Amino acid sequence: MNFFTSKTRTLGSRIIGLILIIILSTTASKWHNSSLLVEHLLWFTGWFLVGLGVMGRIWCSLYISGFKDSKLVTYGPYSICRNPLYVFSYLGALGVMFLTETLFLPIAFTIIFIIYYHFVINQEEKFLTRAFPEQYAKYCETTPRFWPSFRNYYEPERYEVSPKHCRKFLAQVIWFVWLAACVQLFEELRMTGVLPVWLTSF
């Protein structure tokens, strides 16, 4: 039985997202009272990673828009690793966690991400192996699974994209920016007593 279908993955992502929003809205940073330097470094790291994640997802969307299941894409970001969309999603979400100005939440999120997406990626690899057996096997031999390598980077001079699918991906990407802004809003609401503080963490 295929548990990690598109519908169950969407539902799972929404449940995880809801839990994270509750945690983000009720968690305060202990660095506020102990180290202004660390606090600012975490904040800067967070926005840097959010920006990197957003730019990376847009880059990926240009290559897979409309072709995700009908064609094995191996150009652009897909020439540096086999799962660049998940890499940039991880970086963007990790950035949001760093914006809480804690170290605990980025570490906890990384553990959850590794466990969850290990199964997601395995399921997708099985599908691609069935759909493009020889092509995907050769692709796996030259391209790392997750951590990018620019050794075999390749991009064509021209590439056909689907405006409809690009627009859809852009709508998904903006959520990283909105969530990052919400983290800043949550901090202000906690400081004014509107939101409770259930957890304080370094």
Side-chain angles (χ1 to χ4, degrees):
M1 180 178 179
N2 182 4
F3 177 77
F4 287 94
T5 63
S6 178
K7 289 184 178 180
T8 56
R9 282 165 49 186
T10 299
L11 177 62
S13 296
R14 288 177 178 175
I15 292 173
I16 292 173
L18 178 61
I19 294 172
L20 285 175
I21 287 176
I22 294 173
I23 294 173
L24 291 174
S25 64
T26 57
T27 301
S29 171
K30 289 186 177 181
W31 295 110
H32 282 305
N33 301 320
S34 60
S35 176
L36 190 63
L37 175 61
V38 174
E39 177 187 344
H40 286 171
L41 283 174
L42 292 173
W43 182 87
F44 176 82
T45 300
W47 277 113
F48 175 79
L49 291 175
V50 168
L52 193 61
V54 168
M55 290 178 61
R57 281 187 60 93
I58 293 174
W59 186 29
C60 292
S61 72
L62 293 176
Y63 282 86
I64 63 170
S65 294
F67 307 114
K68 189 173 182 181
D69 294 329
S70 61
K71 171 182 175 182
L72 182 62
V73 179
T74 60
Y75 306 135
Y78 290 86
S79 67
I80 63 175
C81 74
R82 303 199 302 268
N83 296 280
L85 194 61
Y86 293 145
V87 172
F88 289 113
S89 295
Y90 167 69
L91 293 177
L94 183 66
V96 172
M97 297 299 111
F98 271 111
L99 287 174
T100 63
E101 297 165 3
T102 70
L103 292 173
F104 168 74
L105 288 180
I107 293 171
F109 169 77
T110 296
I111 294 172
I112 294 171
F113 183 93
I114 291 173
I115 294 172
Y116 180 71
Y117 278 96
H118 168 75
F119 294 102
V120 171
I121 291 174
N122 276 345
Q123 197 65 47
E124 290 192 353
E125 287 179 339
K126 291 178 182 178
F127 167 79
L128 292 171
T129 299
R130 292 193 301 269
F132 315 98
E134 294 183 9
Q135 190 180 1
Y136 187 66
K138 185 176 180 181
Y139 178 52
C140 290
E141 291 177 1
T142 59
T143 311
R145 188 186 200 195
F146 193 82
W147 297 114
S149 170
F150 283 84
R151 181 180 57 185
N152 298 317
Y153 179 72
Y154 171 76
E155 61 180 6
E157 286 194 24
R158 292 180 177 83
Y159 192 77
E160 181 182 357
V161 300
S162 165
K164 176 183 176 181
H165 288 87
C166 274
R167 187 172 65 251
K168 179 181 177 181
F169 272 102
L170 288 174
Q172 294 173 350
V173 166
I174 196 63
W175 278 99
F176 283 93
V177 179
W178 286 345
L179 187 55
C182 282
V183 171
Q184 304 296 303
L185 176 61
F186 292 154
E187 181 178 352
E188 296 297 325
L189 293 176
R190 286 195 305 271
M191 291 176 65
T192 56
V194 175
L195 288 175
V197 177
W198 292 348
L199 175 68
T200 56
S201 174
F202 283 112

